[in-house]
Every structure is written in structure tokens, then in C-alpha cells.
């Protein structure tokens, strides 16, 4: 088994992704105010908690009232279970080799597994036999996402097989919505129609399926009729609601660095690869030791602003020139009093400061990708 070798000592790096645990707890509490008593909340903590740190995020979400945890990878589910987080955990993304290696342990640990094909069900049954424990299965129905999930017309034999084998217990039917972040899009209603018809037919033939779940953050916030037994928010919990909401959610991650150098340059000075920027007048440039190798999106070059915290206050200044691998350049302005060592906030929870939404707009992507791009090279600091 290979283990990651730490390349750089985080204590010697000026960059930080500061994760505010209390923001996650408060955001979950706020999301719960939208739910009826009988609807549970599964905190989606896949992708290392959208890069916020899976365990810290999971604990913070449970404090806020989440009672389920969801992760794509079985390895994540096992890590949550090993950490003693004693709530139902669902995992949904595995292939035969992972299944062979991990499914027995998952089933033995009582972790719920998603099944989206007969092959996956067979793998789960084999695993549950090997550990002599009944597996809890969620049937994933592909209602239009075209990813993992059984097609409605092929769900019947899978459910029949769960009914015929004591090693598995069908606990839920679920699906994932393609366009819930565009509430006016009829795709959501089309998917729900397919889901409901499939579940109704299965229920009629094989008896009730205890749980149904389909709502992500967007559906949680905009479609109370889709809450059902369980909702699965991710992005809203991290402070980025994908649809309009009256809830006050705050970003849980603030990415910071420090100015490495401040220097005055004359008009006509070029900045960065391809000389993307030329100064119009004498100005002061600030160099920030963070770049696309840390997860800043190069596509956002020259289109974002960041916040510099100087002795005379906070200033939002533009990033100029091409974003490099390890550095970006700011136009501090000719009068700036900023000094090397001053704090720079790339995005996060700072009044007037840039957010992951701003970076997403600049880079032509979504805040999910901005957050999850902040990689292991940026040391995490958990607060709150
Ligand atoms: C299956 C599943 N459920 C729920 C979520 C959470 O979605 P969101 O972050 O939009 O709330 C995701 C994330 O993409 C997912 O893959």
C-alpha cells in the first residue's frame, strides 16, 4: 500500500485554507429550519468535505443537526466510521476492485451502500455473505443523470433479488437531480415523475421501500415537496447556496496568503506570462506566493480581485497578469501602504472580500470547483 509522502512542511508555508467549523454548524442549523420534523439531513462530505476536511466538516455538520453522512468513495465512508462517527453513512461510488477490497469491511461496519446495477448488488451480496452481516442497500435510480444508477425499466429484477436474498435489506430508493439549481427548468419535474412512477411500481410489486431521497442543496432550498425522508445538501452547507434563499449562510473556507514582495513599477511595465497586463501608470505591485498549483484557477487571470489587509485597513485590489503556478500579482495602486508580510485574502468569509462565487464567475466555473481545487498544498487550519 502506498502512502502520501509530505512534500513540504505546512508550518513553513504562508498560505492557509482556514475552515470555520462554526459556519458549517450554523449553516446546517439554518438548512434544518427549512425541513419538517420527519425529514433527516445527510451532510455530503465527499471530496474531503468539498476540500474543507472531511472529518472536521462531518463533526461540525452533526453538531448542527445532520443525522446522516454521505460520501462518494467507500474509503471516505470507512474513515468516517473509523473516526467513531456513529450515524448512518452512505457511500455510492465503487468499482469491482474497490468493492472486493472494501465492501466486506463496509458491510461489517454497518455502512449503507448504494446499488445501481445487478452487478453491484451481486458484489454487495458476496461481501455481506463473507462477513455474515446484512447489508443495507439504497437503490439508485437513473432518472436522467446518466451516471451510476439503474434505468427505471431495469430496476425490477434488482429489487426482486434484494427480496430473495436475506443478505441484503433494501432501505431506500434514491436519485440525483440534474438541474435543481435552475428551479424553472422542467427537467426536475420530469425526473421526479420518473422516480415516483418507478418507486410506485416497485412498491406495488415488492412492498414498501422505507426511505426516499433526491434533494441536493438546490432542491432543499427551492423544492420543499422534494424533501421526502432525507435531504443531501453539500454546497449550501459550505456557505454557497446554489439558488436564491432567505437563509443567511456563510462561507466556511477562507483562503489566505501573505504578500511576498511589494515594489513600485513605472507605466508600461508588463506583468506575467504572455505579458497579459501592462501598467497604465506608475503603481505598486504585490506578489502573492500562491498560484494554480495551489488550486487557484488560471482561467480567472485578470478577472478577480482579492483583499489585502494593510496597517491602514482592508483594500480590495485587482489581480493582474496571468496566474502562475506558484504566484499571482496584484495591482495595489500607487498610494498603497501595503508591505511584504501583509495578509491577503483570496476568497472566503470577509466583509466586502471576494467569495468562491466571484472566482467561479471569473473562471467560468462553479463554486464547487473553486473550493475543491484548493488542494493539499494549502495547509488547512480548522477554527471555531
Ligand atoms: C449524489 C449526490 N448527492 C448530493 C450531492 C450534494 O449536492 P450539492 O452540493 O449541490 O448540495 C452531491 C454532490 O454533487 C451528490 O453527488
Amino acid at each position: 500500500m502506498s502512502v502520501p509522502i509530505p512534500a513540504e512542511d505546512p508550518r513553513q508555508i504562508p498560505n492557509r485554507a482556514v475552515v470555520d467549523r462554526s459556519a458549517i454548524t450554523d449553516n446546517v442549523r439554518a438548512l434544518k429550519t427549512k425541513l419538517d420534523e420527519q425529514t433527516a439531513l445527510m451532510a455530503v462530505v465527499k471530496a474531503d468535505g468539498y476540500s474543507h476536511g472531511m472529518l472536521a466538516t462531518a463533526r461540525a455538520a452533526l453538531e448542527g443537526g445532520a443525522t446522516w453522512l454521505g460520501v462518494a468513495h467507500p474509503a471516505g465512508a470507512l474513515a468516517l466510521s473509523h473516526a467513531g462517527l456513529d450515524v448512518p453513512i452512505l457511500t455510492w461510488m465503487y468499482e469491482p476492485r474497490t468493492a472486493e477490497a472494501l465492501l466486506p469491511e463496509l458491510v461489517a461496519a454497518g455502512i449503507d451502500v448504494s446499488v445501481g446495477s445487478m452487478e453491484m448488488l451481486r458484489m454487495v451480496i458476496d461481501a455481506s455473505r463473507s462477513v455474515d452481516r446484512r447489508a443495507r442497500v439504497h437503490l439508485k435510480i437513473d432518472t436522467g443523470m446518466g451516471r451510476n444508477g439503474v434505468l427505471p425499466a431495469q430496476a425490477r429484477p434488482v429489487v426482486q433479488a434484494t427480496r430473495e436474498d436475506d443478505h441484503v435489506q433494501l432501505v431506500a430508493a434514491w436519485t440525483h437531480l440534474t438541474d435543481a439549481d435552475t428551479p424553472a427548468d422542467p427537467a426536475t419535474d420530469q425526473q421526479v415523475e420518473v422516480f415516483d412512477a418507478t418507486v410506485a411500481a416497485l412498491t406495488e410489486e415488492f412492498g414498501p421501500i422505507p426511505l426516499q431521497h433526491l434533494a441536493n442543496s438546490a432542491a432543499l432550498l427551492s423544492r420543499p415537496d422534494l424533501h421526502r425522508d432525507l435531504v443531501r445538501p453539500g454546497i449550501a452547507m459550505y456557505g454557497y447556496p446554489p439558488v436564491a434563499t432567505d437563509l443567511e449562510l456563510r462561507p466556511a473556507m477562507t483562503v489566505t496568503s501573505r504578500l511576498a514582495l511589494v515594489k513600485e513599477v513605472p507605466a508600461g511595465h508588463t506583468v506575467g506570462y504572455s505579458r497579459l497586463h501592462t501598467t497604465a501608470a506608475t503603481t505598486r505591485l504585490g506578489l502573492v506566493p500562491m498560484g494554480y498549483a495551489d488550486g487557484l484557477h488560471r482561467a480567472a487571470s485578470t478577472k478577480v480581485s482579492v483583499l489585502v489587509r494593510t496597517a491602514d485597513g482592508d483594500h480590495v485590489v485587482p489581480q493582474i497578469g496571468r496566474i502562475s503556478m506558484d504566484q499571482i500579482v496584484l495591482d495595489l495602486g500607487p498610494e498603497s501602504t501595503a508591505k511584504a508580510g501583509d495578509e491577503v485574502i483570496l476568497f472566503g468569509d470577509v466583509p466586502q472580500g471576494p467569495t468562491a462565487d466571484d472566482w467561479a464567475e471569473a473562471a467560468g466555473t462553479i463554486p464547487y470547483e473553486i473550493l475543491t481545487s484548493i488542494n493539499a498544498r494549502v495547509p488547512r487550519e480548522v477554527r471555531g
Side-chain angles (χ1 to χ4, degrees):
M1 188 174 154
S2 63
V3 289
I5 299 163
E8 294 173 344
D9 183 338
R11 289 165 302 186
Q12 296 162 354
I13 294 176
N15 306 329
R16 290 285 178 273
V18 181
V19 175
D20 178 0
R21 274 174 42 88
S22 66
I24 294 169
T25 303
D26 292 348
N27 291 343
V28 170
R29 253 186 215 127
L31 292 170
K32 283 215 46 159
T33 64
K34 296 284 179 195
L35 306 180
D36 285 343
E37 191 78 15
Q38 75 279 3
T39 302
L41 187 147
M42 174 192 291
V44 176
V45 296
K46 63 181 181 159
D48 198 24
Y50 288 35
S51 266
H52 294 64
M54 182 180 70
L55 289 179
T57 299
R59 289 196 177 102
L62 295 177
E63 271 171 48
T67 52
W68 284 70
L69 297 170
V71 279
H73 292 170
L78 278 179
L80 291 167
S81 172
H82 290 160
L85 299 181
D86 192 17
V87 292
I89 300 168
L90 174 66
T91 179
W92 54 82
M93 179 58 64
Y94 50 93
E95 43 65 62
R97 281 175 65 151
T98 312
E100 205 182 324
L102 295 186
L103 271 180
E105 203 183 336
L106 286 171
V107 174
I111 293 167
D112 291 17
V113 289
S114 176
V115 156
S117 68
M118 196 58 112
E119 293 74 19
M120 288 169 90
L121 182 65
R122 293 272 162 248
M123 291 191 270
V124 173
I125 289 173
D126 286 350
S128 60
R129 278 207 182 107
S130 73
V131 294
D132 199 19
R133 178 154 181 185
R134 211 166 181 213
R136 287 168 49 90
V137 163
H138 295 226
L139 178 74
K140 180 91 178 262
I141 302 171
D142 178 1
T143 56
M145 186 63 98
R147 307 191 306 193
N148 58 1
V150 65
L151 292 176
Q154 291 161 11
R156 197 189 159 277
V158 180
V159 173
Q160 187 170 26
T162 66
R163 294 293 194 237
E164 287 168 357
D165 196 314
D166 278 349
H167 289 94
V168 285
Q169 179 190 5
L170 183 60
V171 295
W174 72 303
T175 195
H176 194 42
L177 301 171
T178 59
D179 292 279
D181 53 354
T182 312
D185 195 316
T188 300
D189 282 331
Q190 287 160 11
Q191 284 190 269
V192 173
E193 222 171 274
V194 172
F195 180 75
D196 286 346
T198 309
V199 173
L202 294 171
T203 301
E204 196 180 315
E205 187 170 357
F206 300 108
I209 301 172
L211 302 173
Q212 290 179 22
H213 53 99
L214 60 165
N216 53 7
S217 296
L220 188 168
L221 292 169
S222 65
R223 292 290 303 258
D225 57 316
L226 304 185
H227 289 175
R228 307 286 168 95
D229 302 292
L230 188 60
V231 291
R232 308 187 309 267
I235 197 73
M237 196 173 73
Y238 302 100
Y240 289 95
V243 290
T245 175
D246 57 350
L247 295 180
E248 286 190 13
L249 305 173
R250 59 183 207 276
M253 181 196 287
T254 300
V255 176
T256 70
S257 183
R258 293 197 176 273
L259 288 175
L261 175 76
V262 174
K263 68 180 176 193
E264 190 175 272
V265 294
H269 198 76
T270 54
V271 179
Y273 288 112
S274 314
R275 300 178 171 216
L276 200 59
H277 183 87
T278 304
T279 54
T282 297
T283 191
R284 295 175 77 74
L285 302 183
L287 182 69
V288 181
M290 193 181 230
Y292 62 76
D294 300 286
L296 299 181
H297 277 243
R298 187 170 173 274
S301 296
T302 75
K303 294 185 209 144
V304 282
S305 294
V306 305
L307 188 139
V308 180
R309 195 152 265 179
T310 70
D312 69 4
D314 289 354
H315 302 273
V316 175
V317 299
Q319 181 276 319
I320 54 170
R322 190 78 79 203
I323 290 175
S324 301
M325 188 182 286
D326 316 289
Q327 44 196 307
I328 62 172
V329 176
L330 311 178
D331 186 351
L332 298 167
E335 311 298 335
S336 175
T337 59
K339 292 186 172 48
D342 283 354
E343 191 178 25
V344 177
I345 290 145
L346 282 302
F347 64 81
D349 184 24
V350 190
Q352 271 87 55
T355 63
D357 276 331
D358 297 323
W359 275 80
E361 202 183 319
T365 181
I366 50 177
Y368 301 72
E369 198 186 8
I370 298 299
L371 295 173
T372 56
S373 295
I374 298 300
N375 58 40
R377 196 189 194 205
V378 183
R380 299 296 182 275
E381 189 176 312
V382 179
R383 293 186 190 160

